[in-house]
């Protein structure tokens, strides 16, 4: 029942303090997710940054699930690649899980049922603990055995890694406040694991040491952050249809509206949230609310956007403010509902038939989910057009350390060009689609603004500047050209790119966006350390500001790193900015898991070295 140490291990066992990756392999529906999250939060409470990622199937229970935790004293929050300690609790994925362990790494497993030596690797340290035996001897109910097995292994790991048990107990106390019976049972399971590990298991080379690397940062998922951003951004209407991985965003919006959007005097809700019968109905409601002057949004994923495109085209052509938060997942069709990708760029940027172009925002973390979700409503109102916030499953459903949210209480919302009753009475010329100042954006009125003036037909068909139906070619050309001019105006209003220069002058650059950012930050450090110097530009929006063209022009080769098969961002850069494809080599990762720093470092490093040799 003691630890099984494999003989003839070639590399020395890994040794690291606050710099390693732990991965839990479990079965979905076993209650492991809460225990694994508890493990991550305990390390975080010790002042050591962590970056967890939950990799789960799209069914309710029975299929494999993984929970990967990056313990990162240096503050890197992206996936590194590789696993230093595998907690293998699922026999179905045993062989796959063993392959991921770094040479010299560690395997922790339930050895209640002994396995032959042929099932293990000789270059890792294997630690067996009879978890099932302990549970069977302690608990009589099957569900208790299943649930507390997870807490027992957390207790054992806390000994192996020097995690303060007092921190875990405090987390229990917070979670089960007022539920003392549950508190006591979890304490018991935790110490069952700790007692066994203290008596029977050897110390390993990985340790957690209390630090101060967290600071004032908060630990939050992107969907919650975006929901709070919608509240602060002035949204009063949400219409949505449940779809993974965006459903929790609408649910969080409802939660925070109940706290912040209820009239303290009357008790009446100052918001409307509708779970529609499908995505088509939800976007229709949002378009109608936007036409009425409300700040309205829907949250969805790729399949939902596919269904919404006709209404999105209507909002574009009729110039109605709409905000759409797309928490991207693997596609096409049903694809991989619980895996992450950045594969909806083209479908959103050009959503609907005909010539359409939409505003896209690219948040990199929960903090920017908050900022950009709030900003999206200003942009939609200002530009009178649909605005997409392009987050994804990796950002949306995983908790991440980020800067605290900030809000200027003196801020006034930008409602754009809205003509008032006073304006109309003053004799100002009102043409609903009339460009009066050259920025492509006309004035609008809200319903009920004036009893006899300022009305107009809202239509998706072509019209003249005064909203009168017209199929005349010049009227059509005027409107669609004006819509392009509006996109030019948007370039200066959207979030601008963030540049990072290498330590030495270089002819190589890299462009990236969104959830690629954490892994890219680490990869750029590694490339600089290896004397592979690459300037970087993180895009934060489409249409591309002029600085994107300038960055590409300043380099001979600019790698475009993205998480989709077809290099969609690269295609948009080539199409919109008219650069030669040879100048923009693609670096693509699209297996549904978040991109890793090691992958980026290897791909760009090898190609830069090859380019140097050939020049």
């Amino acid at each position: 029942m003691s630890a099984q140490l494999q003989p003839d291990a070639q590399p020395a066992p890994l040794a690291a303090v606050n710099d390693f990756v732990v991965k839990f392999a479990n079965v979905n529906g076993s209650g492991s997710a809460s225990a694994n999250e508890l493990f991550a939060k305990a390390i975080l409470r010790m002042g050591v940054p962590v970056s967890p990622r939950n990799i789960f199937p799209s069914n309710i229970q029975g299929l494999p699930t993984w929970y990967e935790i990056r313990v990162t004293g240096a503050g890197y929050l992206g996936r590194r690649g590789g696993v230093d300690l595998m907690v293998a609790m699922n026999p179905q994925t045993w062989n796959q899980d063993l392959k991921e362990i770094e040479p010299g790494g560690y395997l922790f497993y339930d050895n209640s049922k002994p396995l032959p030596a042929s099932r293990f690797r000789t270059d890792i340290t294997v630690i067996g603990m009879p978890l099932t035996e302990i549970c069977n001897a302690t608990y009589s109910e099957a569900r208790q055995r299943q649930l507390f097995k997870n807490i027992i292994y957390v207790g054992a790991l806390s000994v192996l890694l020097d995690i303060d048990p007092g921190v875990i107990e405090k987390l229990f106390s917070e979670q089960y406040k007022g539920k003392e019976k549950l508190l006591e049972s979890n304490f018991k399971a935790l110490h069952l694991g700790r007692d066994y590990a203290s008596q029977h298991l050897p110390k390993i080379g990985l340790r957690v040491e209390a630090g101060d690397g967290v600071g004032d940062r908060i630990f939050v998922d992107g969907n919650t952050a975006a929901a709070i951003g919608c509240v602060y951004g002035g949204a009063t209407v949400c219409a949505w249809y449940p779809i993974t991985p965006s459903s929790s965003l609408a649910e969080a919006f409802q939660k925070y509206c109940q706290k912040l959007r209820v009239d303290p005097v009357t008790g009446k809700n100052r918001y409307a949230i509708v779970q529609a019968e499908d995505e088509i109905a939800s976007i229709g409601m949002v378009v109608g609310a936007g036409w009425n002057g409300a700040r309205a949004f829907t949250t969805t994923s790729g399949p939902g956007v596919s269904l919404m495109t006709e209404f999105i085209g209507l909002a574009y052509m009729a110039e109605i403010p709409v905000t759409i938060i797309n928490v991207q997942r693997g596609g096409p069709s049903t694809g991989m509902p619980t895996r992450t990708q950045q594969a909806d760029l083209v479908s959103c940027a050009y959503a609907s038939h005909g010539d359409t172009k939409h505003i896209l925002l690219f948040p990199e973390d929960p903090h920017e989910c908050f900022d950009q979700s709030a900003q999206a409503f200003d942009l939609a109102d200002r530009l009178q057009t649909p605005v997409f916030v392009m987050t994804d499953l990796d950002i949306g459903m995983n908790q991440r350390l980020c800067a605290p949210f900030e809000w200027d209480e003196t801020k006034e919302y930008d409602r754009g060009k809205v003509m008032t009753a006073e304006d109309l009475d003053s004799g100002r010329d009102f043409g609903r689609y009339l460009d009066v100042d050259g920025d492509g954006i006309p004035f609008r009125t809200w319903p009920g603004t004036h009893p006899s003036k300022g009305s107009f037909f809202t239509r998706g068909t072509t019209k003249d500047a005064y909203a009168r139906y017209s199929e005349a070619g010049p009227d059509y050309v005027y409107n669609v050209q004006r819509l392009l001019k509006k996109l030019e105006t948007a370039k200066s209003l959207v979030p601008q790119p963030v540049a990072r220069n290498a330590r030495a002058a270089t002819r190589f650059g890299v462009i990236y966006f969104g959830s690629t950012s954490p892994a890219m930050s680490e990869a750029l450090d590694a490339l600089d350390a290896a004397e592979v110097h690459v300037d970087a530009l993180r895009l934060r929006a489409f249409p591309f500001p002029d600085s994107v063209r300038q960055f590409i022009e300043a380099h001979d080769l600019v790698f475009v790193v993205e998480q989709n098969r077809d290099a969609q961002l690269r295609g948009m850069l080539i199409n919109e900015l008219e650069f030669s494809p040879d100048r923009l080599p693609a670096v693509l990762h699209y297996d549904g898991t978040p991109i890793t720093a090691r992958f980026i470092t290897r791909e760009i490093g090898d190609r830069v070295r090859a380019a140097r040799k050939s020049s």
Side-chain angles (χ1 to χ4, degrees):
M1 289 172 60
S2 61
Q4 301 172 4
L5 303 181
Q6 292 297 312
D8 304 322
Q10 298 304 312
L14 294 176
V17 177
N18 296 346
D19 184 16
F20 53 87
V21 175
V22 182
K23 191 169 186 177
F24 297 84
N26 300 101
V27 175
N28 200 38
S30 64
S32 59
S34 59
N36 299 338
E37 183 179 316
L38 173 77
F39 176 85
K41 286 184 175 180
I43 298 173
L44 186 69
R45 288 285 182 93
M46 290 179 67
V48 181
V50 296
S51 182
R53 284 172 171 83
N54 191 12
I55 305 167
F56 58 98
S58 56
N59 74 335
I60 296 174
Q61 63 181 19
L63 289 182
T65 183
W66 294 269
Y67 194 88
E68 183 178 292
I69 301 171
R70 176 86 183 269
V71 181
T72 169
Y76 294 123
L77 300 179
R79 284 188 75 216
R80 184 199 70 186
V83 176
D84 302 313
L85 168 60
M86 177 68 73
V87 182
M89 296 290 119
N90 187 358
Q92 300 174 55
T93 59
W94 178 270
N95 293 335
Q96 173 186 343
D97 297 333
L98 252 65
K99 289 179 182 179
E100 291 190 50
I101 303 172
E102 295 284 286
Y106 303 87
L107 170 70
F108 179 94
Y109 83 111
D110 181 357
N111 70 349
S112 298
K113 182 179 179 180
L115 295 174
S118 60
R119 298 295 305 276
F120 300 96
R121 284 169 47 184
T122 60
D123 62 343
I124 61 175
T125 299
V126 180
I127 304 169
M129 179 174 171
L131 291 162
T132 300
E133 285 185 19
I134 294 170
C135 287
N136 289 346
T138 308
Y139 305 103
S140 58
E141 296 180 12
R143 186 58 177 166
Q144 283 186 324
R145 289 172 175 174
Q146 182 183 56
L147 293 176
F148 287 120
K149 180 178 179 179
N150 304 316
I151 304 302
I152 291 171
Y153 72 61
V154 168
L157 294 173
S158 71
V159 172
L160 293 177
L161 298 171
D162 283 344
I163 297 173
D164 184 354
V167 172
I168 302 176
E169 291 175 349
K170 186 175 181 182
L171 286 167
F172 278 140
S173 298
E174 294 171 2
Q175 183 176 355
Y176 298 115
K177 187 176 182 180
K179 302 176 181 178
E180 279 66 31
K181 188 175 181 180
L182 291 174
L183 181 61
E184 291 171 7
S185 59
N186 278 277
F187 278 0
K188 178 181 177 181
L190 176 70
H191 285 283
L192 278 172
R194 285 190 58 81
D195 292 345
Y196 183 91
S198 298
Q199 297 169 25
H200 300 284
L201 303 184
K203 284 288 186 179
I204 65 174
L206 307 178
R207 290 181 51 241
V208 177
E209 188 176 279
D212 58 359
V214 175
D216 67 347
R217 287 182 290 177
I218 60 176
F219 196 53
V220 64
D221 64 87
N223 281 355
T224 298
I228 300 171
C230 290
V231 174
Y232 276 79
T236 58
V237 176
C238 171
W240 66 293
Y241 183 77
I243 183 171
T244 302
S246 73
S247 294
S248 63
L249 199 160
E251 292 162 357
F253 181 71
Q254 180 175 1
K255 171 186 172 183
Y256 286 100
C257 281
Q258 289 170 344
K259 290 182 177 180
L260 302 171
R261 283 283 171 78
V262 177
D263 191 293
V265 177
T266 65
K268 291 184 177 180
N269 295 338
R270 295 185 293 184
Y271 61 91
I273 300 173
V274 182
Q275 182 177 318
E277 61 267 34
D278 55 33
E279 286 90 350
I280 300 172
S282 65
I283 188 64
M285 294 175 190
V286 169
V287 171
W291 177 83
N292 271 284
R295 290 197 152 188
F297 77 99
T298 189
T299 178
T300 189
S301 193
V305 172
S306 296
L307 290 169
M308 294 177 182
T309 52
E310 186 171 2
F311 266 120
I312 293 169
L314 170 63
Y316 175 77
M317 191 66 168
E319 299 180 62
I320 298 171
V322 169
T323 295
I324 302 165
I325 303 178
N326 181 0
V327 189
Q328 298 168 89
R329 69 189 210 186
S333 188
T334 306
M336 297 187 292
T338 59
R339 298 293 187 266
T340 195
Q341 279 189 356
Q342 297 173 312
D344 295 347
L345 273 68
V346 169
S347 65
C348 291
Y350 308 109
S352 192
H353 53 276
D355 295 321
T356 54
K357 289 185 183 179
H358 305 296
I359 313 295
L360 309 184
L361 307 183
F362 304 133
E364 69 166 346
D365 65 1
H367 183 271
E368 286 198 345
C369 284
F370 170 81
D371 282 349
Q372 293 189 10
S373 293
Q375 185 179 9
F377 295 98
D378 274 355
L379 289 170
D381 269 347
R382 179 67 184 169
L383 295 162
Q384 300 175 28
T385 198
V387 174
F388 289 84
V389 181
M390 303 293 290
T391 177
D392 58 37
L393 184 146
D394 185 34
I395 302 174
M397 295 194 71
N398 290 311
Q399 292 178 303
R400 193 80 71 248
L401 276 174
C402 68
F405 306 150
E406 297 179 353
W407 188 257
D408 182 359
E409 295 295 341
T410 66
K411 173 182 170 59
E412 294 185 2
Y413 297 136
D414 184 354
R415 301 310 306 264
K417 296 180 179 178
V418 179
M419 196 166 284
T420 66
E422 291 77 14
D423 293 331
L424 294 167
D425 280 334
S426 71
R428 285 184 60 178
D429 184 20
F430 174 63
R432 175 61 185 95
Y433 302 108
L434 181 65
D435 183 4
V436 296
D437 52 15
D439 64 1
I441 307 169
F443 275 85
R444 60 175 171 147
T445 58
W446 290 328
T449 294
H450 194 283
S452 60
K453 299 177 181 178
S455 61
F456 59 92
F457 281 109
T458 302
R459 59 175 88 246
T461 50
T462 187
K463 56 270 179 180
D464 68 11
Y466 291 87
R468 296 173 299 211
Y469 179 78
S470 170
E471 292 185 5
D475 287 335
Y476 174 80
V477 170
Y478 164 79
N479 270 305
V480 295
Q481 285 298 121
R482 182 178 53 75
L483 291 174
L484 274 184
K485 191 181 296 183
K486 184 192 294 189
L487 264 289
E488 284 296 315
T489 300
K491 290 180 180 180
S492 63
L493 300 177
V494 298
Q496 298 299 296
V498 177
R500 169 176 167 169
N501 293 328
R503 287 189 298 110
T506 178
R507 61 190 181 93
F508 301 103
V510 61
I511 285 175
Y512 62 102
F513 68 102
S515 62
T516 302
S517 181
M520 179 62 73
S521 177
E522 182 176 2
L524 290 170
D525 284 349
L527 289 167
D528 256 353
E531 301 299 324
V532 177
H533 302 299
V534 182
D535 294 331
L537 190 71
R538 177 169 70 89
L539 301 192
R540 301 174 70 207
F542 171 81
F544 307 123
D546 294 339
S547 56
V548 179
R549 176 185 297 279
Q550 294 162 9
F551 180 85
I552 297 172
E553 289 175 341
H555 299 86
D556 294 341
L557 281 181
V558 176
F559 301 98
V560 184
V561 181
E562 50 189 313
Q563 299 180 69
N564 59 68
R565 184 196 69 180
D566 293 342
Q568 294 184 23
L569 177 64
R570 174 179 178 267
M572 290 169 65
L573 289 166
I574 292 168
N575 181 57
E576 298 290 333
L577 304 181
E578 299 181 343
F579 280 103
S580 166
D582 294 340
R583 197 164 183 173
L584 297 169
V587 177
L588 306 176
H589 174 91
Y590 49 89
D591 67 0
T593 62
I595 197 168
T596 68
R598 288 181 177 178
F599 173 83
I600 298 171
T601 303
R602 181 180 67 250
E603 287 289 315
I604 293 180
D606 289 350
R607 297 194 205 185
V608 167
R609 294 184 188 99
R612 285 173 176 171
K613 289 180 181 179
S614 63
S615 61

